[in-house]
């Protein structure tokens, strides 16, 4: 479970203080697909950085599975970060490595198992995302949708409890977006993993999320089941 409790964040910029997040209260239960939607500048990245311990709330508390993120540092913070797999708009793949090597990479970093075990795990994940047969391809040989599938497989390598999608479909065409969203739904059903979907695109939320919070100028202005929040009058 993820919890933001009375969280505010003010950056100290050269021009003076910038209030990025104001009084956010948010509970994201396990196993859900939870959307956070907002325009550019709404504060989405700031929420993500507080979740990962890259920023500390100015006031309030962010907890992941009962652990206050700001109380962690060093090795404990690195371990806790493995609980959150991330996928990004521009995929952030290693271009000189193959599909399989990209998926293995987080296991190498976390020093999990031996080479053979890591390879086996990576092969399973490549299958899970529907890329079997492309293990030895390089990212430059893949379509955008396939690149994001590699990103998803890599994000799942360390068996995270949460998958955080940061504008993961924003660079994809509508059909590829739908395919990637279907895959996320499938992964949620099969692995029971919590998925947090950060986006500026309402249709992404409508398509896969159970719950949504609408962020505007650092505040949550709407929150609830997608069907209620986006109900047409
Ligand atoms: P989003 O991800 O929704 O576009 P951000 O979290 O990046 O929103 O930004 C929220 C607000 O905080 C914006 O006004 C932005 O300019 C400001 N902001 C973000 N990061 C910093 C920073 N490091 N220093 C100063 N202001 C920042
Ligand atoms: P490594 O040598 O560790 O395998 P690379 O040198 O291939 O890593 O890539 C380092 C980073 O630079 C990658 O994370 C990737 O995002 C970026 N990068 C490398 N090549 C390209 C490219 N052709 N286009 C976009 N980004 C690239």
């Amino acid at each position: 479970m993820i919890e933001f409790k009375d969280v505010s964040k003010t950056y100290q910029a050269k021009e003076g203080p910038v209030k990025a997040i104001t009084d956010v209260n948010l509970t994201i239960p396990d196993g859900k697909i939870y959307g956070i939607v907002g325009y550019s500048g709404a504060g989405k990245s700031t929420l993500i950085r507080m979740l990962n311990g890259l920023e500390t709330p100015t006031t309030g508390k962010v907890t992941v599975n009962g652990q206050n993120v700001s109380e962690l540092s060093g090795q404990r913070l690195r371990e806790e970060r493995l609980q959150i797999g991330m996928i990004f708009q521009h995929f952030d793949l290693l271009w000189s490595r193959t599909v399989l090597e990209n998926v293995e990479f987080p296991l190498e970093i976390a020093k999990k198992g031996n080479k053979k075990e890591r390879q086996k795990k990576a092969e399973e994940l490549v299958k899970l995302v529907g890329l079997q047969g492309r293990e030895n391809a390089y990212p430059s040989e893949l379509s955008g949708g396939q690149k994001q599938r590699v990103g998803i497989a890599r994000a799942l390598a360390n068996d995270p409890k949460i998958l955080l999608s940061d504008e993961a479909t924003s660079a994809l065409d509508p059909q590829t977006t739908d395919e990637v969203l279907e895959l996320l739904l499938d992964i949620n059903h099969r692995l029971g993993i919590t998925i947090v979907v950060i986006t500026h695109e309402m249709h992404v939320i409508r398509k896969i999320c159970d719950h949504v919070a609408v962020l505007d100028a650092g505040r949550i202005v709407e929150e609830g089941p997608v069907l209620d929040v986006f109900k047409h009058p």
Side-chain angles (χ1 to χ4, degrees):
M1 187 167 91
I2 297 169
E3 219 171 358
F4 287 82
K5 192 141 197 331
D6 301 326
V7 171
S8 295
K9 174 71 189 179
T10 303
Y11 291 107
Q12 297 303 334
K14 273 203 299 291
E15 319 79 68
V18 179
K19 194 144 200 199
I21 293 293
T22 307
D23 299 332
V24 163
N25 283 290
L26 199 63
T27 302
I28 304 183
D30 289 338
K32 295 274 183 229
I33 306 188
Y34 199 107
I36 299 177
V37 66
Y39 295 117
S40 175
K44 304 184 297 293
S45 310
T46 302
L47 285 184
I48 296 174
R49 289 202 294 269
M50 290 192 287
L51 205 52
N52 283 328
L54 297 173
E55 292 285 356
T56 309
T58 309
T59 58
K61 199 163 86 167
V62 181
T63 58
V64 177
N65 302 321
Q67 177 65 58
N68 183 342
V69 180
S70 357
E71 282 170 357
L72 297 172
S73 62
Q75 181 60 18
R76 281 286 295 121
L77 181 59
R78 281 192 291 277
E79 280 166 22
E80 206 51 40
R81 276 199 193 126
L82 295 181
Q83 301 295 325
I84 305 178
M86 290 199 58
I87 54 175
F88 310 96
Q89 178 170 7
H90 298 296
F91 324 120
D92 292 4
L93 302 177
L94 297 170
W95 295 76
S96 64
R97 298 185 184 215
T98 64
V99 166
L100 198 67
E101 288 165 349
N102 266 282
V103 179
E104 259 184 79
F105 190 65
L107 293 165
E108 263 173 69
I109 297 284
K111 300 192 170 65
K112 293 253 178 91
N114 59 35
K115 177 76 189 162
K116 213 168 161 186
E117 288 161 344
R118 291 197 292 263
Q119 212 158 356
K120 182 159 176 286
K121 173 93 189 180
E123 279 165 7
E124 285 166 14
L125 288 165
V126 167
K127 248 192 221 131
L128 178 78
V129 300
L131 282 180
Q132 58 273 40
R134 304 310 312 268
E135 287 84 354
N136 298 318
Y138 286 89
S140 59
E141 303 172 89
L142 303 177
S143 68
Q146 290 173 325
K147 285 189 190 105
Q148 196 54 286
R149 285 170 192 269
V150 179
I152 292 168
R154 180 188 54 187
L156 296 173
N158 282 307
D159 299 315
K161 296 208 175 70
I162 299 158
L163 178 64
L164 204 162
S165 167
D166 184 4
E167 300 283 1
T169 56
S170 301
L172 303 175
D173 64 61
Q175 195 196 321
T176 311
T177 292
D178 281 357
E179 287 167 12
V180 168
L181 294 178
E182 288 291 342
L183 176 62
L184 291 179
L185 262 179
D186 184 51
I187 284 170
N188 171 258
H189 289 159
R190 281 213 254 173
L191 307 182
I193 189 173
T194 309
I195 304 186
V196 181
V197 177
I198 312 278
T199 183
H200 66 280
E201 299 175 304
M202 298 287 180
H203 71 268
V204 168
I205 302 280
R206 279 179 198 277
K207 183 148 172 101
I208 63 165
C209 294
D210 310 305
H211 248 76
V212 61
V214 182
L215 198 63
D216 184 31
R219 289 177 187 273
I220 291 180
V221 292
E222 294 255 22
E223 198 276 326
V226 171
L227 291 175
D228 294 347
V229 171
F230 290 153
K231 191 166 57 189
H232 291 290

